[in-house]
């Protein structure tokens, strides 16, 4: 009985640490220095149907797990410490059972298939992370499907699936090979916003439906003949809109066979606006798939040197297949006036007040940081909900006020970052 009481006190103490001393409701850390050691356990413990953002901080670490954000967990804000060092990953794919006699080298995927009863991931969802809760926000995290990255081959191996309205990402990475990121397949009115993100793959690696606006993002291609998007919009007002993005890739992807996309189902819409193509794109730009696109178009595409690209050979005639067989055409370019109407305000902002750019606002670095013995103090940052304190690359603590007492064994450079009310990390003051 005494041990049970002791453990309860420890649990309450850990919870209180996150709630009382930190701007975050929960802290995930593999080394046990937080409230949870897995991301999923922190999400499971979040309240259902929260009316305010529920802030979860994830310290640097390699979190090998599948993460599901269920419908009841709305307004989850998942904040990583460092994009390159905070990694949520797993090794899985959705490949079907190989036929008898198939080449073993081509069926290695079966060992990691969610359909293989003997696999470690048997019965898992078909994505490393699946977001079903509305108003989800994440920053500074890499979402990686190990099967896609390590094998550089199919079958489908999602790193991310966003199946809810109002999902946003800032400074995140999404890595796989085939079907890296699936957007809404349920409702074309669902909104997705991403800023300053890295999306990597080779085969239809950004695909699905909904209204998605990506700004200042990089599409990184990892093989010759990669295809970036495969949308299936049916009733979307805008579809996929990419503004001020970059198309890049490895040496193999620089073969000049790269395609911007292909139409999966229904009447897909995709716009590339003010895009920098750092690798050569096939002159036709697009290719056939299952249907005829409503519009696959560009405006102000430029090469790596900033020169306008010649879009006169871009594909405008398409052939469908199967139930959507037939032929049709769509424009390959839009005007400056049309491009200027495809804005954040039109695509993202609605009557619910969701404004992800506001969430991503980086607060200024704290000023006048002073250390006396183990005690730190600084000038409070306006609108800060609290602060993260780092020594070297290690998060040593959090504070809601403008003071902090360092651990006795803390050595190295000190950094203090303000945190806004949405959990986003501000610029660092360095001491």
């Amino acid at each position: 009985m005494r041990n049970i009481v002791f453990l309860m006190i420890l649990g309450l103490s850990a919870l209180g640490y996150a709630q009382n001393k930190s701007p975050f409701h929960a802290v995930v850390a593999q080394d046990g220095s937080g409230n949870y050691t897995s991301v999923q356990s922190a999400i499971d413990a979040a309240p259902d149907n929260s009316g305010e953002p529920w802030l979860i901080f994830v310290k640097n670490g390699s979190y090998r797990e599948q993460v599901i954000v269920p419908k009841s967990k709305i307004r989850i804000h998942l904040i990583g410490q460092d994009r390159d060092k905070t990694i949520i990953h797993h090794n899985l794919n959705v490949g079907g059972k190989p036929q008898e006699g198939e080449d073993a080298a081509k069926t290695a995927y079966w060992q990691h298939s969610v359909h293989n009863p003997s696999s470690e991931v048997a019965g898992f969802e078909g994505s490393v992370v699946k977001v079903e809760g509305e108003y989800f926000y994440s920053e500074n995290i890499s979402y990686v499907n190990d099967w896609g990255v390590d094998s550089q081959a199919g079958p489908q191996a999602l790193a991310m699936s966003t199946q809810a309205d109002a999902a946003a990402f800032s400074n995140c990475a999404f890595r796989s090979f085939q079907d890296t990121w699936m957007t809404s397949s349920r409702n074309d009115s669902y909104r997705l916003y991403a800023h300053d993100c890295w999306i990597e793959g080779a085969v239809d690696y950004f695909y699905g439906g909904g209204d998605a606006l990506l700004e200042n993002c990089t599409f990184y291609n990892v093989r010759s003949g990669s295809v970036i998007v495969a949308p299936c919009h049916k009733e979307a007002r805008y579809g996929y809109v990419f503004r001020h993005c970059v198309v890049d890739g490895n040496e193999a992807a620089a073969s000049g066979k790269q395609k911007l996309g292909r139409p999966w189902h229904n009447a897909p819409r995709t716009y590339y606006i003010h895009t920098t193509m750092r690798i050569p794109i096939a002159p036709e730009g697009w290719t056939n798939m299952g249907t005829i696109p409503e519009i696959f178009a560009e405006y102000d595409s430029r090469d790596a040197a900033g020169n306008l690209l010649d879009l006169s050979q871009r594909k405008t005639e398409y052939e469908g297949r199967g139930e959507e067989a037939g032929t049709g055409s769509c424009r390959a370019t839009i005007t400056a006036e049309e491009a200027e109407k495809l804005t954040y305000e039109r695509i993202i902002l609605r009557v619910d007040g969701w404004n992800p750019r506001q969430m991503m606002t980086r607060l200024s670095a704290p000023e006048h940081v002073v250390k006396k013995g183990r005690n730190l103090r600084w000038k409070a940052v306006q609108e800060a909900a609290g602060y993260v304190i780092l020594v070297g690359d290690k998060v040593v603590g959090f504070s809601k006020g403008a003071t902090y007492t360092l651990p006795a064994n803390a050595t190295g450079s000190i950094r203090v970052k303000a945190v806004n009310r949405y959990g986003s990390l501000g610029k660092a003051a360095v001491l």
Side-chain angles (χ1 to χ4, degrees):
M1 184 65 179
R2 183 180 300 174
N3 288 338
I4 294 174
V5 172
F6 177 69
L7 290 173
M8 289 177 64
I9 291 171
L10 280 180
L12 289 172
S13 175
L15 183 60
Y17 173 80
Q19 291 181 334
N20 297 329
K21 296 183 179 180
S22 170
F24 296 96
H25 296 98
V27 176
V28 180
Q30 286 183 320
D31 62 7
S33 61
N35 310 111
Y36 306 95
T37 56
S38 74
V39 176
Q40 188 65 59
S41 60
I43 290 171
D44 291 343
D48 289 340
N49 304 311
S50 175
E52 295 292 332
W54 188 260
L55 311 183
I56 301 173
F57 184 82
V58 187
K59 292 187 180 182
N60 286 347
S62 176
Y63 298 89
R64 190 176 189 272
E65 57 178 307
Q66 182 170 75
V67 174
I68 308 296
V69 181
K71 291 181 181 179
S72 64
K73 306 295 183 179
I74 66 174
R75 295 185 174 85
I76 296 290
H77 287 203
L78 203 59
I79 310 298
Q81 177 183 339
D82 183 316
R83 185 180 83 174
D84 297 329
K85 299 177 182 178
T86 307
I87 304 168
I88 299 174
H89 66 111
H90 215 308
N91 193 332
L92 60 85
N93 63 71
V94 299
K97 186 176 181 179
Q99 298 297 315
E100 187 174 348
E102 282 193 75
D103 185 348
K106 295 181 179 180
T107 60
Y109 69 84
W110 183 238
Q111 181 182 349
H112 304 283
S113 173
V114 300
H115 300 301
N116 181 355
S118 301
S119 169
E120 173 195 6
V121 294
F124 277 38
E125 291 276 0
S127 179
V128 175
V129 176
K130 186 175 184 179
V131 177
E132 296 184 302
E134 294 181 333
Y135 303 110
F136 176 85
Y137 174 62
S138 182
E139 69 174 53
N140 305 336
I141 296 178
S142 287
Y143 297 96
V144 180
N145 189 309
D146 295 330
W147 170 257
V149 172
D150 294 344
S151 71
Q152 291 293 286
Q156 181 184 88
L158 277 72
M160 173 62 67
S161 177
T162 44
Q163 302 300 318
D165 185 30
F169 299 85
S170 175
N171 192 40
C172 288
F174 306 84
R175 302 184 63 212
S176 187
F177 185 86
Q178 181 174 331
D179 300 347
T180 303
W181 187 346
M182 183 180 189
T183 65
S184 169
S185 60
R186 297 175 178 170
N187 190 321
D188 265 340
S189 70
Y190 286 173
R191 294 160 293 171
L192 169 67
Y193 180 67
H195 184 273
D196 197 25
C197 289
W198 175 281
I199 305 104
E200 176 183 318
V203 182
D204 305 333
Y205 62 96
F206 190 85
Y207 77 108
D211 287 329
L213 174 61
L214 276 61
E215 296 184 306
N216 298 91
C217 292
T218 296
F219 294 97
Y220 192 82
N221 303 276
V222 294
R223 79 163 190 191
S224 176
S226 293
V227 179
I228 298 175
V229 304
C232 61
H233 302 108
K234 188 175 183 179
E235 299 175 340
R237 293 178 63 189
Y238 301 98
Y240 288 171
V241 180
F242 308 139
R243 298 186 67 95
H244 299 286
C245 290
V246 170
V247 173
D248 204 350
N250 60 15
E251 184 176 352
S255 63
K257 299 178 180 180
Q258 168 70 38
K259 303 293 176 59
L260 299 174
R262 54 184 182 171
W264 183 19
H265 288 304
N266 304 316
R269 294 169 169 261
T270 300
Y271 306 86
Y272 288 83
I273 300 169
H274 305 304
T275 306
T276 298
M277 313 288 187
R278 290 183 180 165
I279 57 173
I281 305 299
E284 65 273 24
W286 310 83
T287 190
N288 292 323
M289 194 180 185
T291 189
I292 312 304
E294 178 73 20
I295 188 166
F296 274 2
E298 299 166 73
Y299 172 72
D300 189 38
S301 295
R302 296 176 180 264
D303 65 19
N307 303 306
L308 278 171
L309 292 178
D310 178 6
L311 306 180
S312 62
Q313 297 183 59
R314 289 296 196 249
K315 184 177 180 66
T316 58
E317 301 295 325
Y318 290 84
E319 297 179 4
R321 69 185 183 195
E323 294 182 357
E324 298 179 77
T327 61
S329 62
C330 75
R331 288 187 294 153
T333 60
I334 58 173
T335 66
E337 291 75 18
E338 289 172 311
E340 288 309 305
K341 291 180 180 179
L342 294 168
T343 63
Y344 175 85
E345 290 74 18
R346 289 173 180 263
I347 300 168
I348 300 299
L349 301 185
R350 295 181 189 167
V351 295
D352 62 357
W354 185 61
N355 187 353
R357 278 186 183 172
Q358 185 180 47
M359 300 175 190
M360 299 172 186
T361 301
R362 295 186 69 193
L363 297 179
S364 59
E367 297 179 344
H368 309 303
V369 182
V370 176
K371 179 177 180 289
K372 187 175 182 180
R374 291 168 50 200
N375 296 318
L376 291 177
R377 71 174 189 275
W378 55 86
K379 182 180 178 182
V381 176
Q382 188 175 4
E383 298 185 0
Y387 304 86
V388 178
I389 296 89
L390 303 95
V391 176
D393 289 332
K394 184 177 181 180
V395 173
V396 296
F398 304 87
S399 176
K400 284 190 174 180
T403 62
Y404 181 75
T405 301
L406 293 165
N409 60 350
T411 57
S413 63
I414 298 168
R415 287 181 293 155
V416 181
K417 294 184 178 182
V419 179
N420 71 18
R421 65 182 297 262
Y422 304 101
S424 183
L425 304 184
K427 299 177 181 179
V430 182
L431 186 64

